[in-house]
Amino acid sequence: MTTVYERAALPRPTQGRKRPRPSPAGPLLALLWAGAAAVVALWWYDTRSVVGLSGWLTDAGRITGLLCGYSCAVLVALMARVPFLERRTGSDRVARWHAMAGRYTVCLLAAHVTLILFGYAAQDGAGIVRETLSVVFDYPDMLEATIGTIVLVGVGITSARAARRRISHEFWYYVHLLTYVAVFLAFFHQLALGSDLVGNSAARAAWYVLYLGTAALVGWFRLLAPVRLNLRHRLRVESVYREAPGVFSIVVRGERLDELDARPGQFFRWRFLADGMRWTSTPYSLSAPPRAGLMRITVKALGDHSAAVGLLRPGTRAWAEGPYGSLTADRSTASKALLIAGGVGITPLRALFETLPGQVTLLYRARTAEDLALGGELEAIAKWRGARLLYAVNGADGTRPRFTAESLQETVPDLAEHDVYLCGPPAMARDLYAALSAAGVPDRRIHHESFEL
């Protein structure tokens, strides 16, 4: 179907390429670990001697508590959706860091609570139940910290993979937001009871800077920036049309969209203000480069929300956050590129297929020919820019074509000289990554961004 997205609206991609920008992932991880080392150094500096079982337990509780407090700040900062990280490091990598920080935080929290309570009980010669009640109800700010602890453990439980499979995304999302509440409730007991902070004004000031800086990131990038974006650009659904069975494209119109600097391959988190949809925010990639005050996403009906997107009416208000993601031309290191899409993973790669400089080949995997969404556009783009477009669909008997190192090298003989962009189901991406590595493609040239939350 011909749409407002005519391929002539953009200039033909040039053969030149920019020098790829280095990822800040390495330096950032080094900085985070340096912060953890500074916390350990603070504990070491304040620990003169450790005497007896109660001393060992209490001091172990102190260090795990300090590290847990630091980890809480890191955990929340990684939820802030800072554009520099989301666009340069990749939203999926930041999400994995956040998940890892969450596991560290819960483990440190459990160790801190257990060690401190048993240490205090040994020190006072009291039973563990009596000591626990005394700490919770008699110590300053401990009742609030206990509530925060319970909330944070609950967030951790609902974030476990086994639990995620049994609950809706919306329930998980809103429970996950309680992390902010948990960290706020637990913050003040650190200053009131943490011996490493109570008597050390420099450490106390650094702790305030850490937490207030984290709060500023969240306040700006999670609250104020999205409000500013949507008030300024006033996004509305322009049109909705069918691309393939269960696949729909949604064109969104807005004001001054060029200011967003959205790149082919990036995505927004979309919330459509229609009945039953306004409380759900879902990432959808741009399926064509933005132009003339318009952006387009293409969505496959995989659940209640994505199915409802195809029923949106023109004029429906849209609320967007972004752009996010690093699956862009900035990752390119070679003059040749192979794009491999699976199913609805074609959406960001369709935009790259139109705009990525150099020699481009697109390999599109789908179950049947009817499931090849955006096929007409892809063929027009391939003809226009002289690119290769290849399809891989199931055979008449249902057999699936396999992507192996040998089959990929047969399809693209100089494969090791290509950048490879992947987007598709997680299992397909894992298999392709292994096949590409076996075919001699360096890791730095395999580009993939997962949308699993």
Side-chain angles (χ1 to χ4, degrees), residues 277-359:
M277 301 182 67
R278 64 183 67 244
W279 299 111
T280 301
S281 175
T282 306
Y284 295 125
S285 295
L286 299 177
S287 61
R291 60 193 71 167
L294 299 171
M295 296 189 292
R296 189 184 73 179
I297 59 175
T298 300
V299 179
K300 183 178 179 67
L302 298 173
D304 293 341
H305 182 270
S306 54
V309 170
L311 303 177
L312 288 170
R313 295 181 178 181
T316 302
R317 287 291 304 273
W319 183 276
E321 299 177 41
Y324 300 124
S326 63
L327 195 70
T328 67
D330 288 337
R331 287 193 178 187
S332 178
T333 62
S335 59
K336 302 176 183 178
L338 170 64
L339 315 180
I340 308 179
V344 78
I346 188 62
T347 53
L349 299 191
R350 181 265 180 240
L352 285 171
F353 190 48
E354 180 176 344
T355 59
L356 198 64
Q359 179 182 318

Side-chain angles (χ1 to χ4, degrees), residues 69-416:
Y70 172 74
S71 183
C72 281
V74 171
L75 180 71
V76 172
L78 291 173
M79 293 174 67
R81 295 179 185 167
V82 179
F84 175 77
L85 294 180
E86 298 276 336
R87 300 173 191 175
R88 293 284 301 279
T89 301
S91 298
D92 58 338
R93 181 180 288 184
V94 175
R96 288 195 298 270
W97 289 352
H98 171 72
M100 184 180 296
R103 290 190 287 271
Y104 286 159
T105 301
V106 172
C107 291
L108 288 167
L109 177 62
H112 168 64
V113 171
T114 302
L115 291 166
I116 280 291
L117 289 177
F118 276 95
Y120 284 179
Q123 180 178 296
D124 295 341
I128 188 63
V129 174
R130 178 181 174 185
E131 190 66 32
T132 300
L133 294 174
S134 174
V135 168
V136 171
F137 293 105
D138 297 337
Y139 283 49
D141 298 310
M142 271 307 305
L143 182 58
E144 294 86 348
T146 301
I147 297 172
T149 297
I150 294 171
V151 171
L152 195 57
V153 170
V155 172
I157 291 172
T158 58
S159 297
R161 186 168 299 178
R164 287 290 307 278
R165 289 195 290 262
R166 292 171 171 79
I167 60 178
S168 68
H169 171 73
E170 291 78 11
F171 179 82
W172 168 83
Y173 176 78
Y174 286 108
V175 169
H176 212 65
L177 291 180
L178 293 176
T179 301
Y180 299 127
V181 177
V183 173
F184 175 79
L185 290 173
F187 173 71
F188 295 100
H189 95 284
Q190 300 174 56
L191 300 176
L193 300 174
S195 58
D196 300 281
L197 302 176
V198 170
N200 189 327
S201 58
R204 191 179 181 91
W207 217 248
Y208 270 115
V209 169
L210 175 65
Y211 272 79
L212 290 177
T214 298
L217 290 177
V218 171
W220 178 255
F221 292 115
R222 292 298 299 266
L223 296 176
L224 298 180
V227 169
R228 179 182 180 275
L229 183 155
N230 287 279
L231 290 179
R232 182 166 180 78
H233 300 291
R234 300 182 179 277
L235 304 173
R236 289 186 181 274
V237 173
E238 175 80 2
S239 60
V240 179
Y241 51 92
R242 181 181 180 274
E243 297 282 7
V247 179
F248 294 86
S249 281
I250 296 87
V251 178
V252 176
R253 179 176 293 279
E255 302 174 6
R256 299 181 288 272
L257 295 186
D258 56 302
E259 297 176 3
L260 293 174
D261 192 29
R263 310 287 302 280
Q266 290 187 313
F267 67 94
F268 287 78
R269 287 182 168 88
W270 298 91
R271 190 188 306 271
F272 295 99
L273 307 186
D275 290 343
M277 301 182 67
R278 64 183 67 244
W279 299 111
T280 301
S281 175
T282 306
Y284 295 125
S285 295
L286 299 177
S287 61
R291 60 193 71 167
L294 299 171
M295 296 189 292
R296 189 184 73 179
I297 59 175
T298 300
V299 179
K300 183 178 179 67
L302 298 173
D304 293 341
H305 182 270
S306 54
V309 170
L311 303 177
L312 288 170
R313 295 181 178 181
T316 302
R317 287 291 304 273
W319 183 276
E321 299 177 41
Y324 300 124
S326 63
L327 195 70
T328 67
D330 288 337
R331 287 193 178 187
S332 178
T333 62
S335 59
K336 302 176 183 178
L338 170 64
L339 315 180
I340 308 179
V344 78
I346 188 62
T347 53
L349 299 191
R350 181 265 180 240
L352 285 171
F353 190 48
E354 180 176 344
T355 59
L356 198 64
Q359 179 182 318
V360 180
T361 299
L362 173 60
L363 178 56
Y364 186 3
R365 166 81 177 92
R367 285 183 298 178
T368 67
E370 192 179 26
D371 293 321
L372 294 168
L374 307 173
E377 291 183 16
L378 295 173
E379 291 166 8
I381 293 169
K383 181 178 180 181
W384 164 64
R385 66 174 297 171
R388 295 178 69 200
L389 174 61
L390 307 171
Y391 297 123
V393 298
N394 292 358
D397 58 354
T399 57
R400 302 176 53 162
R402 293 185 61 211
F403 292 137
T404 64
E406 292 74 19
S407 67
L408 291 171
Q409 286 174 318
E410 183 179 343
T411 302
V412 184
D414 55 348
L415 180 59

